[in-house]
Amino acid sequence: MINRRTFSKAVGLGIGAAAVSLPGLGANASAATAAERQPGAASLPTNTPGRDTGFPTIKQVDAGLLNVGYAELGPADGPVVICLHGWPFDIHSYVDVAPLLADQGYRVLVPYLRGHGSTRFLSRRTPRTAEQSAIALDIIAFMDALTIRRAVLAGFDWGSRTADIIAALWPERVKALVSTSGYLITDREAQLSPAPAAVEHNWWYQWYFATERGKEALENTDDRLALCRYVWTLVSPNWNFDDATYERTAQAFLNPDYAAIVLYNYRWRIGLIKGEPRYDRYETLLAAQPSIGVPTVTLDPALDPFTPPGDGAGYRDHFTGAYEHRTIADIGHNLPQEAPTVFAQGVLDADHL
């Protein structure tokens, strides 16, 4: 999920960059007023959360180390938007976002990240690692496989981190960026120091996964599914999802590499294991916390326990290009699924910054 150090550094900060506080649901779910919206960006119609229950088809493409499963909506020749999910979620976080953007003429691609859904490693010999740069390179390979030179990238949680990394290291591939919870590139050195107790409390699962008990729980299918559902209730306290909604996403957690990928990611993040040497040069670049110069909209869900105080002030300096920040009222961690119109409007507006 979120970088605990980014959050802890922001504790105690006051209001920074100007922000728009936006309601998340219902008739008041517009993402910006006409005065705030950039020229050329339309105002999207409201798509009620849960209206769409699935994607018509899942496609597969060989890309780098993976055979990637992905959903695709919209015209094949439209400008590309790639929506990236987080943990413990899957492509269904965008099930209501994708149709909104497709109706605006975008080609919307929603890939399963490594270890999720129908995405599989091409070789049994490939180490099941999950450094932050490895996941970003998966998406670069995905773009290359589909002959996509440049796209709008939009994400939350692992998806935000992945999009941030691509925007920082390969800005020529990113037309615009929507990053939920701001700048999430992990600073592993900073992660070695303790955060305030209230911050550490939010990352209980990270410490749980560092233990053999947590490993066993994640490797046991029943325990895994129960654990992930419990996390949903904690990080999105205002989201009244039903059993069918969770079960659609939970199918993605049955991937044979799921436990290995999740455990590796969280253990690597806090320095318990070393990364693969093939990614060292990228991680060295990311350790410097590089700035992001592409047009960016950052979104902070107000009910997300990982949203730092200060309306984005704690990470504002990382974004050096055209920029807008918005705080979304009454919404938790899974922003695109809880407030699809708000998220889709952020994409549209970022593309017109």
Side-chain angles (χ1 to χ4, degrees):
M1 284 186 176
I2 308 304
N3 183 338
R4 69 188 183 96
R5 300 306 305 172
T6 299
F7 177 61
S8 63
K9 288 177 183 176
V11 173
L13 290 176
I15 301 299
V20 182
S21 183
L22 305 172
L25 302 171
N28 295 322
S30 94
T33 66
E36 291 155 350
R37 191 168 298 116
Q38 295 297 310
S43 180
L44 292 173
T46 298
N47 191 354
T48 303
R51 188 194 73 178
D52 296 290
T53 59
F55 294 100
T57 59
I58 300 299
K59 300 181 177 182
Q60 300 290 141
V61 64
D62 286 351
L65 300 175
L66 304 171
N67 177 263
V68 177
Y70 67 101
E72 179 173 357
L73 275 71
D77 61 350
V80 178
V81 176
I82 300 176
C83 296
L84 301 170
H85 68 80
W87 183 87
F89 302 96
D90 83 328
I91 64 173
H92 288 87
S93 290
Y94 297 100
V95 72
D96 294 309
V97 169
L100 285 168
L101 294 173
D103 286 347
Q104 296 296 312
Y106 287 97
R107 179 188 181 191
V108 186
L109 305 173
V110 193
Y112 284 109
L113 299 184
R114 59 169 59 192
H116 293 74
S118 61
T119 292
R120 297 289 190 275
F121 285 88
L122 292 172
S123 172
R124 290 177 300 172
R125 293 186 294 274
T126 303
R128 273 35 177 181
T129 62
E131 300 94 333
Q132 58 182 347
S133 59
I135 299 172
L137 285 164
D138 289 344
I139 301 305
I140 292 290
F142 175 70
M143 295 174 69
D144 289 345
L146 296 178
T147 321
I148 296 168
R149 184 181 66 85
R150 203 161 168 250
V152 177
L153 300 185
F156 75 106
D157 196 85
W158 288 24
S160 286
R161 179 172 298 106
T162 302
D164 288 354
I165 291 167
I166 298 171
L169 299 188
W170 298 280
E172 70 279 2
R173 306 302 297 268
V174 183
K175 185 181 180 187
L177 171 69
V178 175
S179 186
T180 305
S181 303
Y183 186 89
L184 295 188
I185 297 175
T186 298
D187 182 346
R188 290 184 77 213
E189 184 176 351
Q191 292 269 93
L192 298 177
S193 300
V199 174
E200 300 285 20
H201 175 265
N202 286 332
W203 276 273
W204 64 271
Y205 59 88
Q206 185 167 271
W207 313 125
Y208 186 45
F209 293 158
T211 69
E212 284 303 306
R213 289 175 64 176
K215 179 177 181 289
E216 183 177 338
L218 204 59
E219 290 175 341
N220 178 284
T221 300
D222 290 341
D223 290 343
R224 176 195 310 168
L225 297 182
L227 184 153
C228 291
R229 182 173 181 135
Y230 179 61
V231 171
W232 277 30
T233 66
L234 296 179
V235 301
S236 294
N238 208 31
W239 183 31
N240 296 315
F241 62 89
D242 59 17
D243 290 344
T245 297
Y246 177 72
E247 288 163 7
R248 278 190 293 271
T249 288
Q251 293 302 307
F253 308 156
L254 302 179
N255 184 298
D257 296 312
Y258 184 83
I261 292 301
V262 173
L263 289 167
Y264 189 99
N265 182 275
Y266 286 112
R267 289 178 169 193
W268 172 85
R269 237 190 265 185
I270 58 175
L272 294 182
I273 53 178
K274 293 183 178 181
E276 268 196 278
R278 75 167 81 184
Y279 300 115
D280 285 352
R281 62 187 176 121
Y282 303 111
E283 294 303 336
T284 297
L285 293 172
L286 295 173
Q289 298 284 274
S291 62
I292 293 173
V294 305
T296 299
V297 171
T298 56
L299 304 172
D300 276 355
L303 296 185
D304 182 356
F306 306 104
T307 295
D311 286 332
Y315 53 71
R316 174 65 184 92
D317 290 346
H318 288 293
F319 298 97
T320 59
Y323 179 83
E324 288 186 12
H325 173 79
R326 299 166 187 176
T327 297
I328 316 302
D330 304 321
I331 295 299
H333 189 69
N334 187 10
L335 173 59
Q337 197 163 1
E338 296 180 63
T341 303
V342 170
F343 191 90
Q345 189 69 62
V347 172
L348 200 64
D349 293 345
D351 192 26
H352 288 85
L353 281 177

